[in-house]
Amino acid sequence: MLSSQSGAPGSQEFAVIARGVEKSFGALKVLQGVDLTVGYGKVACILGPSGSGKSTFLRCMNHLERIDKGFLHVGGKLVGYREHAGKLYEMRPNEVARQRADIGMVFQSFNLFPHMTVLQNIIEAPIGVKKLSKAEAIEDARRLLAKVGLTDKADAYPRTLSGGQQQRVAIARALAMRPKLMLFDEPTSALDPELVGEVLTVMRDLAAEGMTMIVVTHELGFAREVGDMVVFMDGGVVVEQGSPSELFTNTKTGRAKAFLSKVL
């Protein structure tokens, strides 16, 4: 049963609060009670083996997946639900879309519209969802393309870009919605090794600017350097969390030690 916890302690003080989040797909229980709190302006990096529930948890944060139990607050508001007379009701699709506009998400695959130019990809949602004027959306898009180092690619089509360039366009597209939270689901896993650095550089710049970010990643160097907190998930729960120095040099749980010993 879903719990609203509308008065959850600190719900206005933290960007993300998850308590007891559970999610099943049929008989498969993927999330088994995830607890996590992320402050505004912080970078949380989530590590863990395949099948540990990392990506599912990320998708629950913007209601791409409905949770079965527990609660999720983002920006002080329940994700995907509204409360009335002590009961929770799932938001209508248009309400979810408005809420989701404040939560940017970058996927493993770039998900760019192949028939649109880079500029058209970036301005589509701000005009359609945020109701920005075309002129304002284009101005924003060009500023964001400069931020991700792709000023000269505004009129290019995705098929003409490298994987690293496409992912940087995907980041610019997410930022064009002016989100309060950015979610990254293994954003470099589909890239050739030599292209990983250009995407991580953009993400480092965002972190330095104070963007609140939750990053599912296997890039341990990035997690160590940029993360304010590192979270290790396994079996659908948070097994251990702490600062990078705590998790990487003073690991407490056997399961996290075993995982890190294979990947460090």
Side-chain angles (χ1 to χ4, degrees), residues 39-55:
Y40 286 102
K42 301 299 184 182
V43 178
C45 294
I46 303 180
L47 314 178
S50 297
S52 59
K54 309 182 300 295
S55 293

Side-chain angles (χ1 to χ4, degrees), residues 63 70 73 104 145 166 186 235 243:
H63 207 57
H73 277 92
L145 284 173
Q166 289 187 61
E186 299 196 28
S243 69

Side-chain angles (χ1 to χ4, degrees), residues 26-47:
L28 179 62
K29 197 166 186 178
V30 179
L31 302 179
Q32 305 199 48
V34 176
D35 295 320
L36 185 68
T37 303
V38 180
Y40 286 102
K42 301 299 184 182
V43 178
C45 294
I46 303 180
L47 314 178

Side-chain angles (χ1 to χ4, degrees), residues 3-6 70-83 88 91 99:
S3 168
S4 71
Q5 297 288 325
S6 57
F71 73 89
L72 264 170
H73 277 92
V74 172
K77 298 178 181 178
L78 281 167
V79 175
Y81 296 89
R82 53 188 170 82
E83 187 177 13
L88 290 182
M91 290 178 174
Q99 187 179 59

Side-chain angles (χ1 to χ4, degrees), residues 125-134 136:
I127 293 173
V129 179
K130 289 280 192 179
K131 306 304 180 186
L132 266 63
S133 69
K134 187 174 182 179
E136 187 177 6

